[in-house]
Amino acid sequence: MSLALGLYRAVTRLLEPLAPRLLNARARQGKEDASRIGERLGQPSLPRPPGEVIWLHGVSVGESLSLLPLVERLRRDRPDLTPLVTSGTRTSAALLARRLPPGALHQYAPVDGPRAVAAFLDHWQPVAGVLVESELWPNLILEAEARDLPLALISARITPKSARGWSRAPGAARRLLAAFRLILAQEPASAARLQALGGRVDGLANLKLAGEAPPHDAAAFTALSAAVGDRPVVVAASTHPGEEAAIAQAVARLSRPVCLILVPRHPERALDISSELARDGRRPALRSRGQMLDARTDIYVADTLGEMGLFLRLADVVVMGGGFGPALGLAPVGGHNPLEPARLSKPTLTGPDLSNWEGVAALLVEAGGLQVVARPEALTPAVARLLDDPDAARAMGEAARRAAAEAGSVVDGVFAALTPLVPAAPARRARQ
């Protein structure tokens, strides 16, 4: 074991007794689920089901939701396996509670302390572990390897900054990557960085390309459609601080009345958003407060979880958030998933900060289904063009849908690559 890994394991062993206090402090700040702190310490809140469990982990919303098509495929083709999905954020837990298929379970991932990790693995005893994107937690990985638990790193992504960080501890990086029996990189650049760190990359697969259109409540759609009336709808999806006011200003400059629906990435920011818009002379309505969308509402803050599919379906034009940070002098976010509106044939605009979605964005831009604008003020003419030319908007949306459909076959390859890592189905074992 490298010196860096040995030091990490020693330090985390010493500090782990402080984890409950830290987690409780985070819970008081709203960053942890106070009722499920035990899960973060490796103490399950659910019994282990009979049979075999396959464990899948995605740290936050995007990563964990990218696992849903694979979980659904496992439930369909391997009903003998119980998928256990872990994540690390309250928002991801709330969304997974709504969208995991029957028979799949969710728990919070344990902190990367030796005792928490051991307790988690002791209870669930998975037959394989599937980690998504860049989850290289040393205690978790090494403890799984010590138990001969097959691990896969799927849709693996490593930024230049992360690669530089790991390159300062090359022995640790090489040792951790060697613990994975399967590595499928998200795109060629990540594959090259992982290989430079000593990993064996077995191919490419980006799970964020897979999936269906987000679900929606048909009755709610009918009610909101009636409330909007004849006005066109612009939906600003997954927005971050600074973007809401900038997008609202861009939409306000349009020559026609428009209903703007803001769907913040973090719904708990709704009151801050409302206050900021009020300072600009706007009168937003907040969905979480039961405030109604009506003919006089020009900005509707959709600060609820699990309703993205509803609001995207209402949209005539979608503006994806997370891409305008640097243009506003703010920290970069890296963009958000433009495939969600693409699957619903929605013409979509976004900002230039797309580092988390470079490959997907390039695919959609090339197909003509996504337009990147340099600054929020450039949204005004771009939105106006789409609202003034419905045929062009429909063509753009259809191009996006076709590109998203062509990209969606990635789950077949991932499922096939994982098959050798898990035990055969009982019927097949009986024939052997």
Side-chain angles (χ1 to χ4, degrees):
M1 182 182 300
S2 73
L3 177 62
L5 283 179
L7 180 62
Y8 176 89
R9 285 170 69 80
V11 170
T12 52
R13 187 175 292 108
L14 287 171
L15 294 180
E16 191 170 17
L18 300 177
R21 184 180 301 176
L22 175 61
L23 291 168
N24 285 325
R26 285 175 54 82
R28 288 192 292 272
Q29 298 168 1
K31 297 178 180 179
E32 298 282 348
D33 185 338
S35 66
R36 296 174 65 179
I37 290 292
E39 294 173 32
R40 301 286 273 150
L41 300 171
Q43 302 161 9
S45 61
L46 296 172
R48 187 192 187 282
E52 292 168 334
V53 171
I54 182 168
W55 164 45
L56 306 99
H57 173 71
V59 62
S60 190
V61 173
E63 296 86 354
S64 53
L65 290 184
S66 76
L67 284 167
L68 286 175
L70 181 58
V71 173
E72 290 163 357
R73 179 66 176 272
L74 286 164
R75 291 303 296 152
R76 188 190 78 192
D77 291 1
R78 289 297 305 271
D80 56 300
L81 296 175
T82 296
L84 168 69
V85 181
T86 59
S87 64
T89 67
R90 295 184 64 188
T91 305
S92 62
L95 289 172
L96 288 170
R98 291 174 172 84
R99 296 185 60 178
L100 278 175
L105 308 176
H106 175 265
Q107 294 277 274
Y108 282 105
V111 297
D112 198 45
R115 286 188 289 274
V117 166
F120 171 82
L121 294 175
D122 283 343
H123 177 78
W124 293 105
Q125 299 177 30
V127 295
V130 180
L131 311 186
V132 173
E133 293 213 8
S134 56
E135 287 297 279
L136 297 180
W137 292 107
N139 287 317
L140 187 65
I141 292 169
L142 295 175
E143 182 65 25
E145 183 189 43
R147 295 166 184 245
D148 200 29
L149 173 64
L151 289 179
L153 184 60
I154 303 298
S155 207
R157 177 177 174 272
I158 185 166
T159 64
K161 181 179 178 181
S162 293
R164 286 193 298 271
W166 280 110
S167 68
R168 298 187 188 103
R174 187 166 51 251
R175 177 71 180 81
L176 292 176
L177 291 172
F180 290 96
R181 301 190 192 179
L182 174 69
I183 298 178
L184 299 177
Q186 194 170 112
E187 25 71 31
S190 284
R193 294 179 195 123
L194 289 165
Q195 288 169 332
L197 291 170
R200 188 201 71 248
V201 177
D202 302 286
L204 300 178
N206 185 351
L207 278 177
K208 287 181 176 177
L209 295 176
E212 302 295 327
H216 77 296
D217 181 316
F221 175 82
T222 300
L224 286 174
S225 294
V228 169
D230 295 333
R231 291 174 296 167
V233 174
V234 175
V235 171
S238 295
T239 55
H240 287 259
E243 291 184 324
E244 292 90 8
I247 294 170
Q249 290 166 8
V251 171
R253 289 192 289 268
L254 293 168
S255 60
R256 66 171 74 186
V258 170
C259 179
L260 172 62
I261 299 178
L262 296 172
V263 190
R265 182 67 170 181
H266 301 290
E268 62 271 17
R269 294 182 46 248
L271 291 179
D272 291 337
I273 295 169
S274 180
S275 298
E276 183 180 26
L277 293 172
R279 288 194 295 271
D280 291 340
R282 315 302 291 272
R283 292 193 305 163
L286 272 62
R287 184 167 178 79
S288 66
R289 296 291 182 92
Q291 297 169 358
M292 300 302 294
L293 170 61
D294 57 32
R296 296 169 298 176
T297 307
D298 59 349
I299 300 181
Y300 192 55
V301 181
D303 55 333
T304 51
L305 287 172
E307 293 193 302
M308 183 66 82
L310 168 63
F311 299 113
L312 290 179
R313 283 174 171 82
L314 286 168
D316 293 288
V317 177
V318 173
V319 177
M320 284 303 301
F324 292 102
L328 295 168
L330 302 171
V333 171
H336 288 299
N337 189 356
L339 287 171
E340 288 190 327
R343 293 183 183 116
L344 291 167
S345 302
K346 299 298 179 178
T348 302
L349 310 169
T350 191
D353 177 24
L354 294 167
S355 59
N356 290 337
W357 295 91
E358 286 183 50
V360 175
L363 179 77
L364 290 172
V365 168
E366 183 179 358
L370 178 69
Q371 181 182 347
V372 178
V373 300
R375 298 187 59 81
E377 51 265 34
L379 289 170
T380 305
V383 171
R385 180 182 65 82
L386 292 169
L387 295 182
D388 292 342
D389 190 344
D391 289 339
R394 277 192 295 272
M396 185 177 180
E398 182 57 23
R401 186 199 63 76
R402 287 196 302 269
E406 290 171 5
S409 62
V410 65
V411 172
D412 295 337
V414 172
F415 183 81
L418 288 175
T419 297
L421 302 189
V422 299
R428 182 178 171 186
R429 289 201 294 266
R431 289 195 299 269
Q432 288 176 344

